[in-house]
Amino acid sequence: MRTRVKAALFASGLALTATGALVTPATSAPQQVVHVAPTGDDTHDGTSDAQSVRTLQRAQQLVRGLIPGMTGDVSVSLAGGTYAMSAPLQLTAADSGSNGHRVLWTAAPGARPVISGGVAITGWKVADSSKNIWSAPAPATLRTRQLYVNGARVPRATGALPVTLTRITGGYTTSSAAMDNWRNPKDIDFVYTGGLGAWTQPRCPVNTISPTTIKMAQPCWDNSTKRVMRTDDSGRTVELVGRQAITELPTAVENAYELLSAGEWYLDNTAHTVFYVPKPGEDITKETVTAPALETLVSGIGTASTPVHDITFNGLQFSYATWNFPSTPEGFSEIQANYTLTGAHGFDQQGLCQFIDSGKCPYGNWTKEPGNVSFAYDKNISFTRDAFVHLGAAGLDLGTGSQNDLVQGSVFTDISGNGLELGGVDITLPTAAAQHTSGNRLLDNHVFATSVEYAGGIGMDIGYTEHTTVSHNQIDHTPYSGISIGWGGWPDKVKIKAEPNYSNNNTLSGNLIFDHMQLLADGAGIYTNGNTGPNMAGGEKVTGNVIHDQKGAGKAVYTDNGAGNITITGNGLYNADLAWGSKHTDYTLNKGTYDPLDIENNYWENGSADYNQKAVVIKNNHAITDAGGIPASIRTNAGLEAAYADILGWTPAG
């Protein structure tokens, strides 16, 4: 169930090298090739291996000169090795294919290029022999939340506080002055697993410690403790999701020098010094230590009238980028799916629209986590057989206005937040065709061990979109939900119809999801919220997926508040708290009915009984006791197709 038949690799012409590199078939010769190599020289013309340029920005300049006269695809061929980026590669419409052809940024045959935003940390020496703390100088401009030793993520200094906290306005008092002299208090995070709902992991920075009073950073603290309550008797916040405030004490404290222990690190931004406590037997002077420095590796942000278009990325690894916004006083005041409240009035205005006099529209437009690779207002962008690994935000964000994009055969792992993001929540009812996120395909990708820093993240997080196909992906070992799609459905909690939006004709089929929700709860393998289409025919289709071994409480397939016009059929669901849930009253003009659902021919352990009234149909489902009860046709079809099964053996380079 967790792998596909690999014998088909050879029939399809694909194979793995001994090092785990992907070998892909040759393609037809492009019009022209621009050669790039880490050992190249930007004074070269890029016309051959011997004339390779060194930087992606120089290759970009050369490609721009070729685009107006394109008679075939133009290929940027990257030799193996690490491309240390000092600035992001920023693509615009001027970097797009023309005359019906594409610009290809691709690995050279057999090569494993790494697009890196990291810097090397060297010059280690003993800083405190009694505690085995070592130090190394950091660039004066370095700000980062991650560190890697030999390509393995190292946790920041983390532990329990040496004092007892008592909640007061704006923060806490402490039982003693033991923390009074802790260095750089503003760099310390308090983490609250489940703090604003079982699906959240908010975190807020400290502002000051003096001597027995801890003041928390603003606006994070207000946004996490003052969410405005409705004036009716619903007992709900105006956001209609989550709690009014963090009430418990922090479940962890991060990034405090005084908490350093073996295998942990700390960056002193004032002294420009990295501190590290080696693991037993580890000689840090002989290891490769990398600190992510850039927040964006590649961006392609077009406009409604001039989209970025017709660009392919193939065989590239995107690594070592950070995201420093949570280290500011804004912190990480999570709502859901790594969306947060931000700004001085996040708690009483942001995304609250018609529900409060000063509310900002549209409803639910909270702050989206960015991608370390990010596109928006783009068309026909492809990511094929790429890898997104060692990243500090979301891995890849195809934002509002992304159209006819393809992400296929790619790997997403060791990512701090969401693995892959599609669409946004900033536009519910577009007024122009270019504002639609439409026609995108997410196929045959392996998403695993994501959301390692912001545990409320999703393997694939999809907002308002239409004609989206999410098929044959494998998503496993995530702290929360595997796939989340849709937005804005919560008003039905207070007897108001779900937020009108343009979502329609989205299909999730043949995906394999397991070992998810390893930390948080109230989620799913596939989670849907809000209206999914104008009717059943144009609504969401959830078909042929296999979801199993769900760790946290929730549902394997979760139709949450306001979710309607969904067809759920032919899925195999087992070893989950509940196979499916739930139906809700439809608070539109169709009063007295439920949001329409059609749930048939599923194979589940603990699904619902037959039901056929008020627009909900549940019938012809099959009770099973284990995976053996699921027809082989469903089991063998779910997950990566044979031509992409090799990515299950992928290992990172660099």
Side-chain angles (χ1 to χ4, degrees):
M1 296 261 331
R2 300 189 181 186
T3 59
R4 300 297 294 247
V5 178
K6 295 190 177 182
L9 290 172
F10 304 102
S12 63
L14 297 169
L16 282 174
T17 69
T19 62
L22 298 178
V23 178
T24 57
T27 57
S28 58
Q31 168 199 349
Q32 189 160 340
V33 177
V34 175
H35 295 266
V36 193
T39 57
D41 187 329
D42 278 355
T43 64
H44 291 167
D45 61 12
T47 55
S48 66
D49 285 338
Q51 286 293 311
S52 291
V53 299
R54 183 178 61 84
T55 66
L56 274 60
Q57 283 80 4
R58 175 56 178 152
Q60 178 186 28
Q61 291 176 339
L62 294 171
V63 168
R64 283 187 172 183
L66 301 172
I67 285 173
M70 288 180 75
T71 59
D73 293 343
V74 170
S75 176
V76 180
S77 178
L78 278 69
T82 298
Y83 294 81
M85 305 276 286
S86 59
L89 176 65
Q90 297 176 311
L91 303 174
T92 70
D95 301 295
S96 304
S98 67
N99 303 328
H101 305 293
R102 302 180 66 81
V103 175
L104 315 176
W105 294 79
T106 184
R112 301 194 69 188
V114 178
I115 311 304
S116 172
V119 295
I121 304 298
T122 60
W124 292 95
K125 63 182 181 180
V126 176
D128 186 335
S129 58
S130 66
K131 298 179 180 179
N132 196 30
I133 298 175
W134 290 64
S135 67
T141 57
L142 179 66
R143 297 292 183 272
T144 190
R145 293 177 62 89
Q146 296 83 34
L147 189 76
Y148 296 84
V149 176
N150 295 330
R153 183 183 293 237
V154 178
R156 300 195 299 173
T158 303
L161 294 176
V163 296
T164 301
L165 300 181
T166 301
R167 181 77 168 270
I168 61 172
T169 301
Y172 304 93
T173 58
T174 65
S175 57
S176 75
M179 296 175 63
D180 186 31
N181 294 316
W182 279 24
R183 67 172 70 187
N184 302 323
K186 294 181 188 296
D187 293 337
I188 298 171
D189 281 357
F190 282 7
V191 184
Y192 304 85
T193 300
L196 287 165
W199 55 93
T200 68
Q201 193 187 55
R203 54 180 67 215
C204 278
V206 169
N207 185 31
T208 60
I209 304 175
S210 177
T212 58
T213 299
I214 297 176
K215 288 293 186 180
M216 301 299 291
Q218 296 288 11
C220 186
W221 195 241
D222 279 353
N223 288 337
S224 303
T225 61
K226 289 186 176 181
R227 296 182 180 181
V228 179
M229 299 297 291
R230 291 181 58 87
T231 56
D232 57 25
D233 61 357
S234 67
R236 294 194 175 273
T237 63
V238 179
E239 285 91 354
L240 299 172
V241 58
R243 296 159 49 184
Q244 180 184 23
I246 294 170
T247 56
E248 65 271 76
L249 298 178
T251 53
V253 178
E254 284 189 9
N255 204 41
Y257 173 86
E258 291 73 12
L259 297 177
L260 274 168
S261 62
E264 296 181 342
W265 72 285
Y266 173 81
L267 172 61
D268 189 321
N269 290 311
T270 301
H272 309 302
T273 301
V274 177
F275 295 91
Y276 179 72
V277 179
K279 299 176 183 178
E282 184 179 48
D283 184 349
I284 193 61
T285 66
K286 297 180 180 178
E287 315 296 350
T288 299
V289 181
T290 306
L294 294 184
E295 294 187 282
T296 303
L297 298 174
V298 178
S299 69
I301 310 301
T303 67
S305 59
T306 56
V308 181
H309 61 89
D310 295 299
I311 302 174
T312 293
F313 300 89
N314 176 71
L316 309 182
Q317 178 177 317
F318 301 96
S319 293
Y320 302 119
T322 190
W323 178 42
N324 290 314
F325 187 80
S327 294
T328 72
E330 293 280 3
F332 193 78
S333 180
E334 190 168 29
I335 288 279
Q336 183 171 329
N338 284 182
Y339 281 83
T340 60
L341 291 183
T342 59
H345 288 279
F347 70 97
D348 65 356
Q349 292 183 8
Q350 187 179 14
L352 299 185
C353 204
Q354 72 271 21
F355 297 109
I356 198 166
D357 287 344
S358 56
K360 306 301 182 185
C361 292
Y363 168 70
N365 181 22
W366 298 307
T367 301
K368 182 181 179 181
E369 178 182 61
N372 294 129
V373 178
S374 185
F375 282 73
Y377 290 99
D378 59 88
K379 293 184 177 181
N380 304 318
I381 304 298
S382 294
F383 289 89
T384 56
R385 294 190 169 273
D386 297 306
F388 300 81
V389 60
H390 309 328
L391 298 173
L396 170 63
D397 178 28
L398 300 175
T400 296
S402 294
Q403 299 181 358
N404 299 319
D405 293 348
L406 170 67
V407 183
Q408 186 166 30
S410 295
V411 172
F412 296 80
T413 190
D414 188 28
I415 295 168
S416 289
N418 294 319
L420 188 160
E421 298 176 333
L422 177 64
V425 301
D426 53 333
I427 300 176
T428 56
L429 297 170
T431 57
Q435 295 175 320
H436 288 242
T437 302
S438 182
N440 299 292
R441 294 172 293 154
L442 312 179
L443 313 175
D444 296 291
N445 302 291
H446 187 199
V447 182
F448 66 102
T450 55
S451 308
V452 295
E453 187 173 356
Y454 311 109
I458 313 292
M460 291 184 172
D461 182 38
I462 303 168
Y464 295 129
T465 68
E466 63 183 5
H467 298 284
T468 304
T469 302
V470 184
S471 293
H472 293 293
N473 302 285
Q474 178 170 313
I475 302 174
D476 59 89
H477 296 88
T478 61
Y480 185 51
S481 297
I483 299 173
S484 177
I485 183 168
W487 203 253
W490 302 298
D492 72 349
K493 290 182 175 180
V494 289
K495 301 183 180 181
I496 299 173
K497 65 182 180 180
E499 186 78 359
N501 69 77
Y502 74 97
S503 297
N504 68 89
N505 289 287
N506 297 314
T507 298
L508 299 92
S509 64
N511 298 290
L512 175 60
I513 303 171
F514 60 89
D515 287 343
H516 52 293
M517 291 179 60
Q518 293 188 319
L519 180 63
L520 301 180
D522 199 11
I526 295 176
Y527 174 94
T528 298
N529 183 294
N531 284 333
T532 74
N535 48 46
M536 290 298 297
E540 182 180 306
K541 308 296 189 298
V542 180
T543 65
N545 304 283
V546 173
I547 302 172
H548 65 91
D549 291 306
Q550 181 167 297
K551 305 305 181 183
K555 291 88 175 175
V557 177
Y558 197 164
T559 53
D560 206 356
N561 297 286
N565 293 321
I566 302 176
T567 300
I568 303 170
T569 183
N571 301 283
L573 314 170
Y574 67 98
N575 286 352
D577 188 47
L578 286 173
W580 163 79
S582 53
K583 60 182 184 290
H584 339 84
T585 300
D586 180 3
Y587 291 106
T588 65
L589 295 178
N590 301 315
K591 292 180 180 179
T593 67
Y594 290 121
D595 294 316
L597 300 170
D598 184 7
I599 305 172
E600 301 186 39
N601 295 310
N602 299 288
Y603 296 80
W604 54 27
E605 284 182 312
N606 49 17
S608 300
D610 285 359
Y611 185 95
N612 188 354
Q613 57 180 305
K614 298 183 178 181
V616 172
V617 177
I618 304 175
K619 67 180 183 180
N620 298 328
N621 297 291
H622 311 275
I624 62 173
T625 58
D626 55 35
I630 303 172
S633 59
I634 295 176
R635 287 187 284 117
T636 59
N637 185 59
L640 303 175
E641 296 175 282
Y644 295 93
D646 53 324
I647 67 174
L648 294 175
W650 175 89
T651 56

